[in-house]
């Protein structure tokens, strides 16, 4: 299994599939079809006869339940086709580092060095085969590792006649820009429950994500000659700086972890006559999330009182919600995942997602969908890396989940 999994992963990352946050179409880039069509062909070759890609670049396929498992719930496994656009001007050149010695890894001719002093998870991978890019692009383990693990899981189950209920597989586009799961036809997909394979360390389970919104804050100033500006000039750029200074200094991404939320200033622009701040705001707790939005509105009101109505206009848009409320009624998903991980010889690690996942969107669309680790690290940059052994464990976990649900009854689902 290890060799086939490695070969698949390296083949997939060579395909350029970055999405485009400025596009208004789905998929946001036509190049995602290149990987989609390759996967359909491979799924046919391993015995998934109904594999197909639709006009929105959603790849789907199904493995029928084996004899005696027809009443088991249909379990879905989902990963995404796209990579981020940063550090992704072309397909990846994967580099395998065999029997990793625990030291620094020079990323080919890029001049970059992957060091355990900066990425301490590397210490745990000593002796393994580590895969990186050449340092020019992202590796693409997010989420081509998930794709390779799902395809390998399906191949192993079919070849070895491992007991299973109906298995539903999907690979979606544009996850990195928040659009992938919106057009997946859930009725045709046919899963009762699902898992995304889109996390980091193998053995990780994630079923809590941030509540999220964006805040666009526009400042309108009054620009007059500075020599006669007393009590008249309103400097929009200064008002924007004042707005940001009124937010809690310690509640930024740099200063938070775990379940702690934040305000993140993403971009800023401005001059005397006009300025703009753009934030993303995150919190796992729904009440604290609502309070964060109130803080933003209160600051805007205070500055309008100080400088005049209309000086500050704020627009807050909700992005996604914490999936935990949709997972709580189906905690068998988490228990099955834990059992599958233990059976693989690992210790389950349950942690919150400090971001969002396709699983959150799918959960709120009616398909409960926690997230599982794929073995990758340092996503979204040129230092991204993964180990072959980590991917192998992640693929085995998927096999264990699929086989574990084979005898799961409808009555147990309702508990």
């Amino acid at each position: 299994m290890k060799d086939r999994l490695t070969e698949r992963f390296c083949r997939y990352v060579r395909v350029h599939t970055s999405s485009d946050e400025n596009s208004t179409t789905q998929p946001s880039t036509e190049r995602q079809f290149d990987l989609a069509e390759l996967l359909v062909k491979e799924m046919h070759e391993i015995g998934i006869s109904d594999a197909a890609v639709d006009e929105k670049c959603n790849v789907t396929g199904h493995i029928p339940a084996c004899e005696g498992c027809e009443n088991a719930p249909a379990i879905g496994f989902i990963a995404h086709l796209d990579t981020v656009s940063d550090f992704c001007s072309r397909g990846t050149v994967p580099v395998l580092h065999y029997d990793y010695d625990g030291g620094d890894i020079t990323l080919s001719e890029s001049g970059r060095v992957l060091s355990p002093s900066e990425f301490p998870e590397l210490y745990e991978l000593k002796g393994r085969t580590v895969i990186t890019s050449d340092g020019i692009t992202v590796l693409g383990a997010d989420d081509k590792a998930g794709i390779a693990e799902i395809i390998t899981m399906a191949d192993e189950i079919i070849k070895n006649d491992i007991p299973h209920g109906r298995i539903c597989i999907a690979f979606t586009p544009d996850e990195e820009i928040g659009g992938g799961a919106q057009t997946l036809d859930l009725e045709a997909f046919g899963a009762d429950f699902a898992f995304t394979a889109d996390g980091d360390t193998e053995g990780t389970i994630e079923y809590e994500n941030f509540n999220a919104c964006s805040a666009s804050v526009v400042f309108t100033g009054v620009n007059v000659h500075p020599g006669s500006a007393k009590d008249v000039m309103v400097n929009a750029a200064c008002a924007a700086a004042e707005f940001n200074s009124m937010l809690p200094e310690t509640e930024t991404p740099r200063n938070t972890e775990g379940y702690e939320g934040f305000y993140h200033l993403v971009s800023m622009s401005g001059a005397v006559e006009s300025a703009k701040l753009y934030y993303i705001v995150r919190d796992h707790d729904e009440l604290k999330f609502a309070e964060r939005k109130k803080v933003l509105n209160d600051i805007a009101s205070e500055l309008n009182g100080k400088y005049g109505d209309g000086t500050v206009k704020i627009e807050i848009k909700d992005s996604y919600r914490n999936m935990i409320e949709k997972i709580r009624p189906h905690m068998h998903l988490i228990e099955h995942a834990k059992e599958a991980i233990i059976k693989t010889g690992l210790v389950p690690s349950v942690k919150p997602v400090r971001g969002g996942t396709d699983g959150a969107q799918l959960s709120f669309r009616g398909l409960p969908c926690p997230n599982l680790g794929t073995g990758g690290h340092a996503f979204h940059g040129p230092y991204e890396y993964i180990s072959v052994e980590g991917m192998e464990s992640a693929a085995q976990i998927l096999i264990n989940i699929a086989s574990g649900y084979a005898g799961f009854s409808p009555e147990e689902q309702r508990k």
Side-chain angles (χ1 to χ4, degrees), residues 104-136:
D104 290 353
I105 298 175
T106 300
L107 300 179
S108 300
E109 303 301 319
S110 69
R112 294 186 168 97
V113 176
L114 177 63
S115 173
S117 63
E118 295 181 62
F119 300 94
E121 297 89 353
L122 272 169
Y123 286 118
E124 305 299 321
L125 305 187
K126 187 175 181 179
R128 296 188 184 187
T129 297
V130 174
I131 307 179
T132 69
S133 76
D134 59 0
I136 303 298

Side-chain angles (χ1 to χ4, degrees), residues 176-212:
E176 298 294 358
I177 59 174
Q182 295 173 357
T183 61
L184 180 62
D185 185 338
L186 294 186
E187 184 175 354
F189 185 52
D192 296 308
F193 310 100
F195 295 87
T196 49
D198 191 21
D200 48 28
T201 307
E202 65 274 16
T204 297
I205 308 168
E206 299 167 330
Y207 62 95
E208 298 176 79
N209 61 282
F210 277 137
N211 294 292

Side-chain angles (χ1 to χ4, degrees), residues 192-194 207-209 286 321-334 359-370:
D192 296 308
F193 310 100
Y207 62 95
E208 298 176 79
N209 61 282
E286 190 172 352
R321 291 161 57 193
N322 191 341
M323 75 169 93
I324 189 171
E325 66 180 88
K326 298 299 181 182
I327 302 299
R328 278 197 189 105
H330 309 287
M331 288 301 289
H332 60 82
L333 291 165
I334 310 308
Q361 287 191 32
L362 292 166
S363 294
F364 281 97
R365 289 186 61 200
L367 179 62
C369 191

Side-chain angles (χ1 to χ4, degrees), residues 3 18 28 46 49 68 90 142 167 176 199 209 231 257 265 273 316 331 406:
D3 290 344
S18 61
S28 64
I46 67 173
S49 59
R90 57 165 169 78
D142 179 13
I167 296 173
E176 298 294 358
N209 61 282
D231 298 328
E257 62 183 352
L265 178 58
E273 63 274 9
I316 296 175
M331 288 301 289

Side-chain angles (χ1 to χ4, degrees), residues 53 141 169 194 205 225 229 248 290:
V53 56
I169 293 170
I205 308 168
H225 192 285

